[in-house]
Amino acid sequence: SAVISQKPSRDICQRGTSLTIQCQVDSQVTMMFWYRQQPGQSLTLIATANQGSEATYESGFVIDKFPISRPNLTFSTLTVSNMSPEDSSIYLCSVDRSSHGYTFGSGTRLTVV
Amino acid sequence: AQKVTQAQTEISVVEKEDVTLDCVYETRDTTYYLFWYKQPPSGELVFLIRRNSFDEQNEISGRYSWNFQKSTSSFNFTITASQVVDSAVYFCALSALNSNSGYALNFGKGTSLLVTP
């Protein structure tokens, strides 16, 4: 199954700043997915990233707040912009590996102070 | 619309007991996929099973078994002879084609399982 390298694994950031999270997949994939997991909660889809086109965002998430890049079939970034304490969450990227299920990165644990 | 309901928020059992985690889903699509994931305290998501909507066969993998019933839109997960290492949050998820997000996963709220010695 695919291996996803996600970084940083954790960060503590000041409010008002931005953080860019990177995900590198060890094989080419068409779609990459970005999720947020707030403390003690389930996973919520932020957006779907296709290579060569703009990401599509779920209700409640906007490009200005969570810009995504997808420059090639193995890499994507998610930026959390103008952070506030409410953005403190775990952010995960994911790809579909068919019979192996969806593989997730190890997550980025973000704390905004 | 797609929805996954895990009505059990927390379950606590004593080691060696059997435990069933419930999952009920909603979708209008005839082609869809169901999943279970385990999230131990360390936080990583561990894939357990993927089942497509055309395969209603139950599955057993060691102490784990899954019961898929389309008639009741349920995909329940049973752990037999539970162990302390089974303590985790378990998520049921649904994937069906969505014009916005493709086949992205929709997760239930999760069931936190605590197995005590």
Side-chain angles (χ1 to χ4, degrees):
Chain A
S1 58
V3 173
I4 303 178
S5 173
Q6 182 175 344
K7 57 183 179 183
S9 58
R10 59 178 64 233
D11 207 341
I12 300 173
C13 300
Q14 297 291 323
R15 66 178 67 201
T17 64
S18 298
L19 175 72
T20 295
I21 302 166
Q22 299 179 4
C23 273
Q24 177 75 52
V25 188
D26 67 350
S27 60
Q28 294 183 341
V29 292
T30 304
M31 301 177 86
M32 292 181 72
F33 306 96
W34 287 96
Y35 290 86
R36 180 177 72 182
Q37 187 175 25
Q38 294 177 300
Q41 303 297 313
S42 183
L43 285 82
T44 301
L45 180 67
I46 297 172
T48 301
N50 282 327
Q51 193 268 334
S53 62
E54 283 200 2
T56 54
Y57 290 81
E58 295 301 296
S59 176
F61 298 96
V62 295
I63 187 171
D64 289 347
K65 176 68 175 176
F66 298 100
I68 288 172
S69 77
R70 185 80 202 277
N72 57 54
L73 291 173
T74 62
F75 187 78
S76 180
T77 67
L78 169 75
T79 299
V80 186
S81 303
N82 189 24
M83 288 183 286
S84 66
E86 291 71 35
D87 295 320
S88 297
S89 295
I90 299 173
Y91 293 85
L92 303 104
C93 59
S94 175
V95 299
D96 182 6
R97 298 305 295 166
S98 187
S99 61
H100 298 287
Y102 287 68
T103 300
F104 287 82
S106 54
T108 297
R109 191 177 296 269
L110 171 63
T111 301
V112 183
V113 298
Chain B
Q2 303 168 21
K3 186 179 178 182
V4 176
T5 302
Q6 294 180 256
Q8 304 149 309
T9 305
E10 294 180 353
I11 300 177
S12 182
V13 299
V14 177
E15 207 169 21
K16 297 183 184 177
E17 287 185 3
D18 299 348
V19 58
T20 295
L21 309 181
D22 298 332
C23 174
V24 175
Y25 63 92
E26 295 176 30
T27 178
R28 295 193 185 118
D29 291 293
T30 56
T31 301
Y32 54 89
Y33 303 87
L34 296 164
F35 302 78
W36 277 94
Y37 282 85
K38 174 182 180 180
Q39 189 175 43
S42 55
E44 77 272 24
L45 278 161
V46 178
F47 166 72
L48 297 178
I49 189 171
R50 176 189 189 122
R51 174 66 72 220
N52 75 57
S53 53
F54 300 107
D55 182 2
E56 283 194 76
Q57 278 192 328
N58 293 329
E59 179 152 340
I60 298 174
S61 176
R63 295 184 298 107
Y64 295 169
S65 63
W66 291 269
N67 184 302
F68 176 26
Q69 292 196 342
K70 289 178 75 171
S71 60
T72 56
S73 297
S74 64
F75 188 44
N76 296 337
F77 173 32
T78 297
I79 302 175
T80 303
S82 59
Q83 300 176 0
V84 172
V85 294
D86 295 327
S87 296
V89 179
Y90 291 85
F91 292 101
C92 181
L94 167 70
S95 171
L97 184 59
N98 179 297
S99 59
N100 198 48
S101 59
Y103 277 95
L105 289 173
N106 289 279
F107 285 84
K109 293 188 181 299
T111 298
S112 178
L113 175 65
L114 177 64
V115 182
T116 55

